[in-house]
Amino acid sequence: MDATPSKRKQSSNVPSLVLESDNTSGTLFESHTDRKPRLFEPRKDRKHELRTAIATATSELDVQRARRDALEQESGLTVERARQLNDENIDRLHRYNDTKDAAQILFGKLAELKGKTIKEIYAEYDIELDD
């Protein structure tokens, strides 16, 4: 029976460990720890792909910044001012929605007091149902 580790039959669940001789000193070394595994070696084509992707993203970012700057000059608004106006409009919309909700509650109470439907109350005051 041959007792060399590389020729032993291994079960499928146990990883095989191949011991090899370096032929210079006669010592054995484990191939998976003494050598760089190929799995971790950088691939040159992958580096090129990543560099290309970074260059493309940087180029697109430059285009978007130039577009933003052109729009700022054209409109006379800075990004900060546009955000401020947007926030003011959102505040106005919140106030409008709160007022509308209160009015709907009042129309509901009025309809209840008069014994009518809300649709009839809206018609009485010339208000469209979509308003």
Side-chain angles (χ1 to χ4, degrees):
M1 182 171 133
D2 190 4
T4 58
S6 61
K7 293 185 179 180
R8 286 186 198 159
K9 186 168 184 160
Q10 300 283 327
S11 73
S12 60
N13 295 344
V14 179
S16 69
L17 175 65
V18 178
L19 298 178
E20 300 174 0
S21 170
D22 66 359
N23 290 331
T24 58
S25 65
T27 60
L28 296 175
F29 62 90
E30 295 179 5
S31 62
H32 74 281
T33 57
D34 292 343
R35 294 185 196 164
K36 278 188 174 179
R38 290 188 181 271
L39 178 66
F40 298 111
E41 290 179 14
R43 291 181 16 206
K44 291 180 182 177
D45 57 332
R46 183 66 179 147
K47 283 184 179 179
H48 178 70
E49 289 174 14
L50 291 174
R51 285 187 180 123
T52 302
I54 290 170
T56 302
T58 302
S59 174
E60 179 64 25
L61 181 60
D62 291 340
V63 168
Q64 292 298 325
R65 284 181 178 152
R67 184 173 177 221
R68 179 202 61 203
D69 293 343
L71 288 171
E72 279 183 1
Q73 286 181 348
E74 181 181 315
S75 68
L77 289 175
T78 63
V79 172
E80 293 80 20
R81 180 64 181 141
R83 286 185 180 143
Q84 181 184 10
L85 290 172
N86 189 45
D87 290 343
E88 290 172 7
N89 286 332
I90 289 172
D91 289 340
R92 287 186 193 112
L93 284 171
H94 284 299
R95 285 196 313 262
Y96 167 80
N97 286 332
D98 291 343
T99 303
K100 184 177 177 182
D101 291 344
Q104 288 177 337
I105 291 170
L106 290 175
F107 280 120
K109 294 290 183 184
L110 184 60
E112 185 179 324
L113 288 173
K114 290 188 172 187
K116 296 182 177 182
T117 65
I118 294 176
K119 184 177 180 178
E120 292 170 335
I121 295 294
Y122 272 41
E124 186 178 322
Y125 288 94
D126 294 325
I127 299 173
E128 294 184 26
L129 287 174
D130 294 337
D131 284 346

